[in-house]
Amino acid sequence: MSHPEEPTQQRRDLPPGQYVPRGWPVLHYGPVPKFRPKDWDFRVFGATASGGHHRWTWDEFDALPRTKAVADFHCVTKFTIPDNEWEGVPGSAIVELAPPAPEVTHVMVWAEYGYSANIRMSDFLADGTMFATHRDGERITPDHGFPIRIVVPHLYAWKSVKWVRGVEYLVKDRRGFWEERGYHNVADPWREQRYSYQEDDGEAPPL
């Protein structure tokens, strides 16, 4: 990841080490995938209550109940985009439609090209967490995750996975793509949980 433009202003209510840049920098690993609505689907699998998989086509997913939330967006590269109005399908709605088994503690969010990020179930169900289709009243653009990205606004933004294709319910935590490459397993920006060497007991998956 490279650092974006220099800051335009500082705010007292930002997490430690963060600044507000010009615009919304684009950072991701790999190319922007091409969206093919007829082939696209969203799946929930793993430790579901029914033991089976759940699947939505694009038209079905785009018709699910939505919510809105205004929240800041904190990137681990130290920029924050303030006051985004996100619109999308909340994580809590996915859990209602595709219930997890009682012992589920985490989810793995899967995206195009096999990218992934692990999130605690409490973070997945938190207010403001959603599979966003819109930002500030407009569809999110391809380089920011179109057609959907998960937004977990109270965590660093590598947990807000772009180009999401599914959710895996986990009964035991395991690291996702960046977590396997040295990033913090939890990713709380207010505690500056940037890197795995900062993890305390109980914050890392069992070996």
Side-chain angles (χ1 to χ4, degrees):
M1 291 185 177
S2 60
H3 289 275
E5 300 178 40
E6 292 300 312
T8 58
Q9 59 177 301
Q10 296 289 341
R11 295 193 337 175
R12 293 182 181 179
D13 58 342
L14 295 179
Q18 299 292 110
Y19 67 86
V20 178
R22 300 179 181 90
W24 187 11
V26 175
L27 298 174
H28 55 256
Y29 181 86
V32 176
K34 183 174 178 60
F35 175 53
R36 297 177 174 86
K38 291 183 178 180
D39 299 326
W40 189 95
D41 62 8
F42 181 92
R43 297 173 185 261
V44 178
F45 58 99
T48 62
S50 66
H53 292 189
H54 302 261
R55 177 182 177 273
W56 291 266
T57 66
W58 169 243
D59 288 340
E60 290 168 342
F61 189 91
D62 202 36
L64 292 177
R66 298 170 177 273
T67 190
K68 292 183 179 181
V70 176
D72 294 349
F73 182 86
H74 308 296
C75 183
V76 71
T77 61
K78 299 188 176 183
F79 73 82
T80 289
I81 308 300
D83 301 327
N84 305 275
E85 184 187 72
W86 300 104
E87 178 183 341
V89 180
S92 57
I94 297 299
V95 166
E96 290 177 8
L97 293 166
E103 61 269 29
V104 168
T105 59
H106 293 73
V107 302
M108 187 73 77
V109 180
W110 289 97
E112 301 282 1
Y113 307 130
Y115 180 87
S116 61
N118 57 320
I119 301 169
R120 298 174 297 188
M121 182 59 80
S122 58
D123 295 317
F124 189 67
L125 295 175
D127 290 343
T129 296
M130 71 179 74
F131 294 93
T133 57
H134 292 71
R135 173 181 175 265
D136 295 341
E138 298 183 355
R139 288 274 183 186
I140 55 175
T141 58
D143 57 355
H144 285 297
F146 175 81
I148 62 169
R149 73 178 300 162
I150 191 171
V151 174
V152 191
H154 61 285
L155 300 180
Y156 280 126
W158 84 80
K159 299 287 191 179
S160 293
V161 177
K162 299 179 183 181
W163 311 304
V164 172
R165 293 298 301 272
V167 170
E168 179 185 2
Y169 291 149
L170 306 176
V171 298
K172 184 171 69 173
D173 189 20
R174 69 176 191 267
R175 295 182 187 273
F177 181 89
W178 284 116
E179 294 81 13
E180 288 183 333
R181 290 159 175 79
Y183 280 70
H184 198 285
N185 199 51
V186 177
D188 183 344
W190 295 97
R191 297 176 62 191
E192 281 199 276
Q193 293 177 331
R194 301 178 190 273
Y195 305 112
S196 58
Y197 71 82
Q198 300 170 305
E199 291 168 1
D200 295 328
D201 291 343
E203 292 178 339
L207 298 176

